[in-house]
Amino acid sequence: MTQALHTVSSYIEERTNAFLSLWTHRYDYIYAEHPVPGEKPEWRTEARHPLSDRLIEQGAYLYGVRFAAETRYCVLDIDFGSAYHPSSDGFAVGRILQALEPLGFVEAVICSSSYSQGLHVYLPFEKPQRSWEIALAVTTLLENAGFKPAPGILEVFPNPKPFSSQGEQSLYNAHRLPLQEGSYLLNHDFHPVWSTRETFVKAWRFTEQKNDLDSATLKETLKRARRKTYRISSRAEKFLNDLNAEIEHGWTGQGQTNRLLGRIAMRSYVFGHILYADRPLEGAALADDIAHTARSLPGFTTWCNHQQELEEKSTAWARSIEGSHYFHYGYGKLNKAKEAPAAKEQPSWNEIQQTEAREKIKNAVISLQSSGALPTGITARFEALIDFGISGATLYRHRDLWHPRHLLDSLWKTPSDSPTHKELPEDVLQRTSSGNHPSLLTGNGCNTALEQDSDALDENERREIGCNTAQDGPKGIGFVLTILNRIKQNRHEGLSNGLERESSSLDDRTDQAHQARMRRYLDSGDPILEREAERWFRRFERD
């Protein structure tokens, strides 16, 4: 019902009355009984129906109107007794108008508000503007010039009103209509002159033709004002400036559309309500803003090869940024988490980069192992992997994939295309199926974590438990064969016999956990870990 009232007039319009046609927004109007001269009226709001032309014509009450989403005028209210009133400062009104000249305001229609001798300074213009933009821009310029807008001193209509993060909307403040009780047009000396609605309209039309709003100045003023309102931090300022640097040059060649749309989407979503929108941009509004911004950039018609599908791509980018970890500046991650419906999380850009980096390290290690060129020393191995185009910082973060201490434990965790018995040579099959060497490829083998501190399992426990039955392994048979072929059967058997003889000595001189770890190293099949275990056990043979 409310929407219908806003689209279809619910009162009889007096279409020939030019004065009444100036006040196009009639909802939530204010009214008051005519007061005794010298007293203030008691204003009330009527939200049940709009203010009709015939009620104004009747004149039984004083009336005032508010502002809609767009307006073609603004009003400054200067009370008698204010420091900016002509009775206190004869040049203040002139200085106020001078401060607003950058926006294009060069003329004004000035009236007395009532018998209170306050001033209403009307600033009409021809092209409709967003009410919140006019409110914020006018207030900002006045503040920059040293004026202090405040009730009873200097009020701006429409008034700046921040958007609530809870979605609550407030009404613009209402101003009383001119030429009611005690209201007259004033000349340049602020003296009342004979006033009729016709003379008021004539002055209004003359003034609105003179006031040609500068859209560039308006936009720049709004940018500065919104940043000040939100007290944008230095880090956010840098982020915004970085986005502007990429966006504002537009297209300079082919193949730039996706990158530019992504940057535009990010700026619109994170900072749109700070730069130019009256609320955070989401959904269709966000997609429309992305498309509108793209079309306005230099080089769009020359270099963008996706002009016919711009709306589709803008919608896709809007959905993408809304589903990301970014949020509207000033609203925080918690608010986004509360508003967003539960959905399956998509990997972030950082997570994708990390996965690709780990895959690159795995492939490099497998390549070196397969060719028998994987160095045994940590430094040499580090340098060999750098030759594959992997940075040192990346290797340090993912050292579990290449460092001798972590290598086997990490590479055999993810199930993949594990080799089967049919793919293995006969000598390898014999060794992996014997009792001396648990197979890394079948359910009979032990794939225990090399870094796990636990007691060693004897042979009966190994057979009973069966260890890890997962047939895990990295892709590529070359790596597996390299590990298995490097196991020296005679050396391993000799070490095993020596271990039995020295077991009592070991029990006395080292703890069981470290002894178990060395046994697992010896059974791992990795030449680097085997050598470390050999050196550790040989110390006891020499004693």
Side-chain angles (χ1 to χ4, degrees):
M1 183 64 181
T2 303
Q3 184 177 3
L5 287 176
H6 284 71
T7 55
V8 179
S9 176
S10 58
Y11 60 87
I12 299 173
E13 296 184 34
E14 302 294 342
R15 300 182 183 275
T16 60
N17 194 314
F19 176 80
L20 295 177
S21 67
L22 299 178
W23 325 108
T24 57
H25 185 70
R26 304 289 185 84
Y27 300 93
D28 299 296
Y29 68 91
I30 58 173
Y31 69 100
E33 294 184 357
H34 293 280
V36 175
E39 295 183 1
K40 292 185 177 181
E42 296 182 0
W43 293 102
R44 288 176 286 179
T45 298
E46 176 56 75
R48 294 172 296 180
H49 57 82
L51 176 63
S52 70
D53 287 350
R54 291 183 178 182
L55 280 177
I56 299 175
E57 293 279 61
Q58 186 184 59
Y61 293 88
L62 297 175
Y63 293 107
V65 294
R66 301 183 190 271
F67 291 83
E70 290 187 335
T71 183
R72 292 177 56 183
Y73 71 96
C74 64
V75 188
L76 305 179
D77 182 10
I78 305 173
D79 284 2
F80 183 78
S82 165
Y84 309 134
H85 193 275
S87 60
S88 300
D89 184 346
F91 298 103
V93 174
R95 289 174 49 235
I96 288 173
L97 295 177
Q98 185 180 36
L100 300 179
E101 278 188 13
L103 280 180
F105 291 120
V106 295
E107 289 285 344
V109 178
I110 305 177
C111 297
S112 56
S113 61
S114 65
Y115 288 128
S116 67
Q117 301 182 52
L119 299 185
H120 277 182
V121 180
Y122 290 89
L123 299 166
F125 41 87
E126 288 187 314
K127 186 177 179 180
Q129 302 290 333
R130 293 177 179 177
S131 296
W132 75 266
E133 290 185 351
I134 291 297
L136 191 56
V138 169
T139 301
T140 299
L141 289 181
L142 290 175
E143 290 177 342
N144 291 346
F147 297 97
K148 301 297 181 182
I153 300 176
L154 173 61
E155 288 190 76
V156 178
F157 299 86
N159 58 295
K161 58 186 187 73
F163 176 77
S164 170
S165 60
Q166 284 73 38
E168 299 172 358
Q169 293 289 308
S170 58
L171 298 172
Y172 286 105
N173 293 339
H175 68 88
R176 71 163 69 194
L177 292 175
L179 304 189
Q180 298 184 97
E181 182 181 356
S183 177
Y184 302 96
L185 284 168
L186 303 180
N187 61 20
H188 291 291
D189 295 323
F190 304 107
H191 294 150
V193 296
W194 178 250
S195 309
T196 65
R197 290 181 174 180
E198 288 73 19
T199 57
F200 183 92
V201 171
K202 184 177 180 180
W204 183 284
R205 297 303 184 197
F206 173 81
T207 303
E208 70 177 0
Q209 292 177 5
K210 293 287 186 179
N211 292 337
D212 185 15
L213 263 66
D214 188 319
S215 58
T217 303
L218 178 62
K219 177 184 283 189
E220 187 59 34
T221 303
L222 289 173
K223 283 184 180 181
R224 294 195 303 267
R226 296 297 278 180
R227 295 185 197 184
K228 180 180 179 182
T229 300
Y230 278 82
R231 294 187 178 91
I232 187 168
S233 68
S234 57
R235 289 182 63 185
E237 182 81 20
K238 182 184 182 303
F239 181 31
L240 177 57
N241 288 337
D242 290 346
L243 291 174
N244 287 337
E246 292 201 60
I247 293 171
E248 290 174 357
H249 289 289
W251 278 261
T252 56
Q254 295 182 352
Q256 298 176 346
T257 298
N258 279 332
R259 175 68 178 178
L260 274 170
L261 290 181
R263 300 291 94 182
I264 294 169
M266 188 174 295
R267 186 180 71 176
S268 297
Y269 184 71
V270 178
F271 297 110
H273 58 294
I274 293 177
L275 298 178
Y276 44 77
D278 59 343
R279 66 187 69 187
L281 294 171
E282 295 178 342
L286 175 60
D288 290 345
D289 187 71
I290 295 170
H292 174 77
T293 303
R295 287 195 179 91
S296 66
L297 292 178
F300 172 76
T301 55
T302 303
W303 296 108
C304 179
N305 295 325
H306 301 276
Q307 298 178 35
Q308 301 301 322
E309 51 185 344
L310 181 62
E311 280 72 20
E312 180 181 349
K313 283 187 168 291
S314 297
T315 300
W317 274 108
R319 291 173 180 169
S320 176
I321 194 67
E322 286 183 310
S324 72
H325 63 278
Y326 290 97
F327 52 88
H328 306 301
Y329 186 82
Y331 288 75
K333 296 181 180 179
L334 293 179
N335 285 342
K336 178 172 182 177
K338 292 178 182 178
E339 296 170 3
K344 183 179 179 181
E345 279 194 27
Q346 298 295 325
S348 66
W349 185 84
N350 287 335
E351 290 171 340
I352 294 174
Q353 293 293 102
Q354 178 172 297
T355 300
E356 292 176 352
R358 290 181 67 84
E359 191 65 27
K360 191 172 184 180
I361 296 173
K362 286 182 181 180
N363 292 335
V365 171
I366 291 172
S367 177
L368 290 171
Q369 274 280 26
S370 300
S371 61
L374 184 65
T376 58
I378 297 174
T379 302
R381 184 176 294 187
F382 184 86
E383 293 174 350
L385 291 172
I386 286 180
D387 291 338
F388 281 79
I390 306 170
S391 69
T394 300
L395 287 172
Y396 180 79
R397 285 195 299 271
H398 304 289
R399 54 189 179 276
D400 60 302
L401 298 179
W402 62 269
H403 195 284
R405 185 177 291 263
H406 304 281
L407 180 61
L408 283 179
D409 187 40
S410 61
L411 286 179
W412 292 88
K413 282 181 179 179
T414 305
S416 58
D417 299 331
S418 302
T420 65
H421 276 67
K422 293 181 180 180
E423 297 172 321
L424 297 178
E426 185 62 27
D427 60 332
V428 174
L429 288 174
Q430 291 175 356
R431 281 178 296 189
T432 57
S433 61
S434 67
N436 293 332
H437 300 284
S439 173
L440 296 175
L441 306 175
T442 68
N444 296 329
C446 290
N447 185 20
T448 54
L450 298 179
E451 290 303 309
Q452 180 181 352
D453 292 331
S454 61
D455 294 336
L457 299 176
D458 59 28
E459 195 61 27
N460 292 330
E461 288 173 325
R462 291 175 185 271
R463 284 196 295 268
E464 180 180 349
I465 298 174
C467 300
N468 189 353
T469 60
Q471 299 183 13
D472 298 343
K475 293 181 180 180
I477 189 64
F479 175 53
V480 178
L481 293 178
T482 301
I483 293 178
L484 297 178
N485 288 330
R486 288 190 178 188
I487 300 176
K488 302 299 183 181
Q489 182 74 15
N490 56 349
R491 182 193 66 190
H492 187 279
E493 291 177 350
L495 276 176
S496 297
N497 294 334
L499 291 177
E500 294 296 332
R501 293 193 300 269
E502 299 295 335
S503 61
S504 60
S505 176
L506 291 175
D507 290 341
D508 296 335
R509 299 165 60 180
T510 186
D511 62 89
Q512 292 293 326
H514 193 67
Q515 185 182 150
R517 181 185 298 176
M518 291 300 105
R519 286 181 182 274
R520 289 195 296 273
Y521 278 21
L522 191 64
D523 291 338
S524 68
D526 183 89
I528 299 174
L529 301 180
E530 281 186 359
R531 286 175 188 166
E532 182 177 344
E534 284 180 35
R535 287 195 295 269
W536 188 79
F537 283 120
R538 292 295 183 192
R539 287 187 301 151
F540 299 101
E541 291 183 349
R542 290 194 296 269
D543 291 345

